[in-house]
Amino acid sequence: MLSAILFPIMFLFIFGSGLRGSIGMMGGGIDFVQFMYPGIMGMSVLMGSFMSGVSIVWDREFGFLKEVLVAPISRISVALGRTLGAATVATIQGIIILVLAPVIGVSISVWTVLALLPLMFLLAASMGSMGILLASRIKSTEAFQAIMQMLMFPMIFLSGVFFPMQDLPTWMSVIVKINPATYGIAAIREVVLGSSADSPFNIILFGHIMTIWDNIAVLAVFGFIMIILAMWSFGRQE
Amino acid sequence: MSDNIIQVENLVKKFGELVAVDHVSFNVVQGEIFGFLGPNGAGKTTTINILCTLARPTAGRATLNGFDVVRQQNQVRQSIGLVFQDPSLDDHLTGLHNLRFHAMVYNVPVSVREQRIKHLLEMVELWDKRNKFVNTYSGGMKRRLELARGLLHYPKVLFLDEPTLGLDPQTRNHIWEYVLELRKREGTTVFMTTHYMDEAEKADRIAIVDYGKLVAMDTPGELKHSIGKDIISLKTEDDEKAAEEITRRYQTEVRNDKDHLTFSIANGEEFLPVFIKEFGIKILSISLRRPTLEDVFLKLTGREIREEGEAGDTIKAHIREHSRHMRR
C-alpha cells in the first residue's frame, strides 16, 4: 500500500528532475513537473485501487473469503462494499500527493480539493471494480499480481501521466484514447491546472475537443460497466 | 416429510469431463449426526459445497431446512454453520472480533450477542485468549474458534468437513464433546465428513461415497453387520503358501498385506481353535476381531480409506500453513 504512494512520488522526482531542464516549458506557462504532477496523483489513485482485487485473492487463499461467501449477505453488497472501501483508500492516497503542491509550485485551493475528491473516487471505483472483476475469476495471488502488473503499467504509461496527447504516433494515440484511465487523468489535470478550450493538454476525440465533463462522462460509463460486471462475476463465483 | 432437514435428489456436479458427484440422493433427518465417508476426491467436499451454496449443481436438486440451495441461497446460508477443513478465519483480527464480525453478518441481535460469544468462547476454552490475534493461535485453537463461530447464529445444520484433521487426540475429544452436547441441547443436525473411523462410529448414519457415487448408507452397526463375518489376521512362516492353503480349505478370499494375511470367516470364535490345531504351516501370530467400518469400506470400494487420505492431507495442511506464514 505504501508503494502506491512512494512509487509515484519517486517517478515525479526522478523523471521531473531529470527531464525538467531538457523539456522546458510545456505551453500555458507550465513546466514538466507541474504537468506531470496531476498525472502522478492519478497514478497513485490507480495503483491504490488496483490493489483492491489483491485483498480478495488473498482472502481466498487464506480461506477467509469462504466465510464471507457463505454468509447470508448478498454477494452484490459484498462486491460493492469491497469496491467502495478500496476506492476510499485509493482516494486518500491520491489526496496525500496533494501535500507536495507547494514544492511543485502548483497552487491548490480548497475548491480544487473538493472537486478532486469525487473525481478521484470515481476513478478509483472504476479501476477498483476492474480489479474485483479479475479477482473473482483468478485463484492465486501470484497469477493475480502478474496479470495486474501486465495491465497496470501499460494503463499508467499510456494514459497521459508522463506526456501530453499531441504529436503522438498514430498507433500510440489510438491506444491512449482507448485506455479509460486517460480520461480520469485528463480530468484531474484539468481540475488542478485549469481548463480551457485551447489548452495544449486537451484530448481530441474524433475531431471533438473533450471538455472536463466529457472526460468525466467517459470515465463514469466505463466505471458503471465495470461495477456491473464485477458484481455479476463476484456473485456467480464458486 | 417435514423431519427431513436435508433432501438431496439426483445431485450431479461435473467439472468439465470429470463427474465429481454422480446422481447422489439421500435425506438427513432433523437432529441426527450424518457421516460422509470416502477417500479423497470421492466428492464429499463437493457435495458439502453444493449444500452450503458454495457450488452450483450441474443437475439435480437439494433442499436444506426447506430452502432450495440454488434459488434460496440466503435462507440456506442463514440456516447453516460451517467448520471447514482449512481455516477460514481473519488472521489479522482477534478471536473476539472474528466472532463479532460473524454475529453481524448473520444478524445475531446485539442484545444477545456478547453473552452468546462469551458462552461459546468459554465452551471452547478460548475466553482467556479472546483478545489475542488469530495468527498467534495454534491449529487446534483455530479449529475450536471456528467451531464456536459456526454455532454463533444457532444453525439448524452444522457442517463439519474433516473437523479434527491434523489435531491432537485431546483436542479431537474436546471437539466431539461440544458437538454431542450441542446436539443434545439444541437438536442441531450435524453433517460431517471424516477419515477417522472412530469418528465415523459416532454418526447415527453413514453414507459411503466412492467416485462420486453413493455405495452404501446405513447405521454404523448395520454396515458392520452387513459383512456378517469376523476378521482373522495372521502371520505365518510362509504367507504365500498359507494363503493358498486357506483359500483351498475354507473357500474364502485371503488378502495378503505383505507382513500379514487377513480373511473373514463366520463364527470366528469357534473356528479359531480348530484352525490352529489343523493348520499345517507354522503360525507366528494370530488375532480375531469384529469387523470395523474400515473393513466395510474395504469391502465396498476395494481400497483402504487411509491409503490416500491422512498422511497426504496432513502434509498438505502443513505446507499451506507454512506458506501462509511466509507470505504474511
Side-chain angles (χ1 to χ4, degrees):
Chain A
M1 211 156 74
L2 206 61
S3 71
I5 300 172
L6 291 183
F7 216 50
I9 292 179
M10 228 165 69
F11 268 92
L12 183 65
F13 281 99
I14 295 173
F15 279 2
S17 312
L19 295 173
R20 185 183 233 159
S22 51
I23 291 178
M25 296 309 260
M26 308 274 299
I30 288 162
D31 74 11
F32 181 61
V33 175
Q34 288 165 337
F35 166 81
M36 209 164 62
Y37 179 59
I40 291 295
M41 254 182 246
M43 177 178 172
S44 176
V45 173
L46 278 176
M47 289 182 72
S49 53
F50 268 141
M51 293 305 149
S52 65
V54 175
S55 74
I56 288 185
V57 181
W58 266 34
D59 276 356
R60 189 200 313 281
E61 260 189 31
F62 297 128
F64 184 65
L65 190 67
K66 246 182 176 174
E67 155 82 348
V68 175
L69 291 181
V70 291
I73 37 178
S74 87
R75 300 262 175 103
I76 289 176
S77 50
V78 174
L80 204 60
R82 290 278 185 163
T83 309
L84 298 182
T88 307
V89 174
T91 305
I92 292 168
Q93 287 172 345
I95 294 296
I96 289 173
I97 307 285
L98 276 176
V99 178
L100 297 174
V103 186
I104 310 295
V106 175
S107 67
I108 302 278
S109 70
V110 177
W111 292 114
T112 317
V113 178
L114 289 181
L116 278 176
L117 279 176
L119 184 56
M120 284 178 173
F121 194 82
L122 178 64
L123 178 64
S126 311
M127 295 299 155
S129 310
M130 197 170 77
I132 284 164
L133 175 63
L134 289 171
S136 66
R137 296 286 138 174
I138 297 168
K139 307 298 176 204
S140 83
T141 312
E142 288 81 3
F144 184 79
Q145 274 167 348
I147 289 175
M148 273 283 116
Q149 262 157 30
M150 263 162 49
L151 211 65
M152 185 166 76
F153 284 108
M155 269 185 110
I156 289 171
F157 290 136
L158 294 169
S159 69
V161 169
F162 300 106
F163 44 76
M165 275 336 105
Q166 292 88 11
D167 310 323
L168 291 180
T170 315
W171 65 267
M172 202 160 156
S173 169
V174 169
I175 297 175
V176 170
K177 281 173 185 172
I178 290 171
N179 181 359
T182 302
Y183 302 91
I185 303 285
I188 291 176
R189 182 166 286 135
E190 281 163 322
V191 170
V192 176
L193 300 180
S195 62
S196 66
D198 57 354
S199 159
F201 311 132
N202 283 337
I203 305 172
I204 297 158
L205 198 62
F206 305 119
H208 169 71
I209 300 172
M210 301 286 280
T211 66
I212 181 165
W213 291 110
D214 293 336
N215 291 331
I216 291 173
V218 172
L219 186 63
V221 168
F222 171 75
F224 183 74
I225 294 170
M226 278 300 136
I227 207 159
I228 296 292
L229 287 177
M231 288 191 299
W232 175 80
S233 174
F234 192 79
R236 279 196 62 86
Q237 72 176 313
E238 297 194 336
Chain B
M1 298 292 272
S2 60
D3 56 347
N4 278 340
I5 189 110
I6 300 176
Q7 291 187 302
V8 176
E9 287 162 39
N10 274 319
L11 205 63
V12 180
K13 176 70 182 180
K14 289 183 190 165
F15 296 104
E17 288 293 295
L18 180 87
V19 185
V21 178
D22 193 357
H23 295 90
V24 166
S25 302
F26 61 89
N27 293 329
V28 178
V29 180
Q30 165 110 46
E32 86 176 325
I33 296 182
F34 188 81
F36 233 45
L37 205 60
N40 276 359
K44 290 174 296 177
T45 301
T46 308
T47 309
I48 284 204
N49 280 348
I50 291 172
L51 291 177
C52 39
T53 76
L54 278 175
R56 252 163 241 270
T58 310
R61 216 171 145 257
T63 60
L64 192 147
N65 198 19
F67 302 114
D68 188 285
V69 297
V70 177
R71 278 171 293 138
Q72 295 166 294
Q73 294 193 336
N74 277 349
Q75 288 95 321
V76 171
R77 289 173 189 162
Q78 184 74 53
S79 317
I80 59 177
L82 289 147
V83 179
F84 298 107
Q85 259 180 65
D86 305 319
S88 63
L89 298 159
D90 193 330
D91 271 6
H92 291 329
L93 292 180
T94 62
L96 186 64
H97 283 138
N98 262 291
L99 294 194
R100 282 214 184 116
F101 172 79
H102 186 88
M104 257 151 60
V105 295
Y106 281 80
N107 310 310
V108 176
V110 179
S111 54
V112 299
R113 188 177 79 192
E114 294 306 311
Q115 186 206 342
R116 238 191 247 183
I117 288 177
K118 181 164 192 275
H119 173 77
L120 284 166
L121 279 177
E122 280 170 352
M123 185 180 91
V124 297
E125 289 154 41
L126 286 173
W127 179 246
D128 299 340
K129 305 267 198 256
R130 66 187 181 280
N131 290 323
K132 294 253 186 300
F133 286 101
V134 170
N135 54 17
T136 65
Y137 282 25
S138 71
M141 287 159 72
K142 282 185 188 173
R143 204 70 59 90
R144 267 148 51 204
L145 182 65
E146 291 208 39
L147 186 66
R149 187 180 67 179
L151 299 173
L152 193 54
H153 54 286
Y154 288 174
K156 292 270 188 229
V157 182
L158 181 64
F159 284 95
L160 304 171
D161 193 5
E162 301 283 355
T164 59
L165 188 75
L167 297 186
D168 59 276
Q170 200 190 351
T171 314
R172 281 174 64 188
N173 287 340
H174 267 301
I175 286 187
W176 273 104
E177 276 168 33
Y178 311 139
V179 171
L180 293 174
E181 191 207 317
L182 185 88
R183 186 195 34 175
K184 210 158 73 187
R185 224 184 37 225
E186 309 284 342
T188 313
T189 309
V190 178
F191 188 112
M192 64 157 178
T193 70
T194 184
H195 278 108
Y196 297 119
M197 291 299 155
D198 55 329
E199 241 167 58
E201 298 268 359
K202 294 193 167 79
D204 297 313
R205 279 195 308 148
I206 292 172
I208 294 181
V209 283
D210 195 27
Y211 294 115
K213 285 199 168 78
L214 209 68
V215 291
M217 185 164 61
D218 217 321
T219 62
E222 279 300 313
L223 283 173
K224 284 184 284 188
H225 195 69
S226 70
I227 287 192
K229 294 174 177 173
D230 296 321
I231 314 282
I232 290 176
S233 325
L234 74 159
K235 263 190 224 175
T236 64
E237 280 196 322
D238 186 346
D239 279 355
E240 256 171 61
K241 223 167 124 195
E244 269 173 43
E245 173 134 6
I246 293 164
T247 314
R248 189 167 47 78
R249 272 209 213 177
Y250 308 106
Q251 282 83 47
T252 175
E253 208 175 296
V254 182
R255 188 179 158 92
N256 191 342
D257 285 318
K258 289 191 183 124
D259 62 334
H260 69 281
L261 302 171
T262 23
F263 63 98
S264 55
I265 199 95
N267 298 324
E269 277 151 358
E270 285 154 40
F271 170 81
L272 202 54
V274 182
F275 173 75
I276 294 171
K277 211 170 174 183
E278 62 184 30
F279 198 60
I281 299 160
K282 194 176 178 195
I283 299 169
L284 301 175
S285 72
I286 190 160
S287 69
L288 163 78
R289 60 184 170 81
R290 301 273 175 227
T292 62
L293 283 173
E294 189 110 28
D295 300 313
V296 177
F297 190 82
L298 193 66
K299 189 187 163 200
L300 289 169
T301 66
R303 282 179 287 166
E304 275 188 54
I305 196 162
R306 288 171 193 244
E307 276 171 11
E308 42 208 314
E310 221 168 288
D313 275 359
T314 317
I315 293 166
K316 261 197 294 185
H318 273 296
I319 293 171
R320 226 171 359 231
E321 194 67 22
H322 198 66
S323 61
R324 218 172 280 240
H325 286 303
M326 305 259 289
R327 210 165 293 145
R328 286 228 154 159

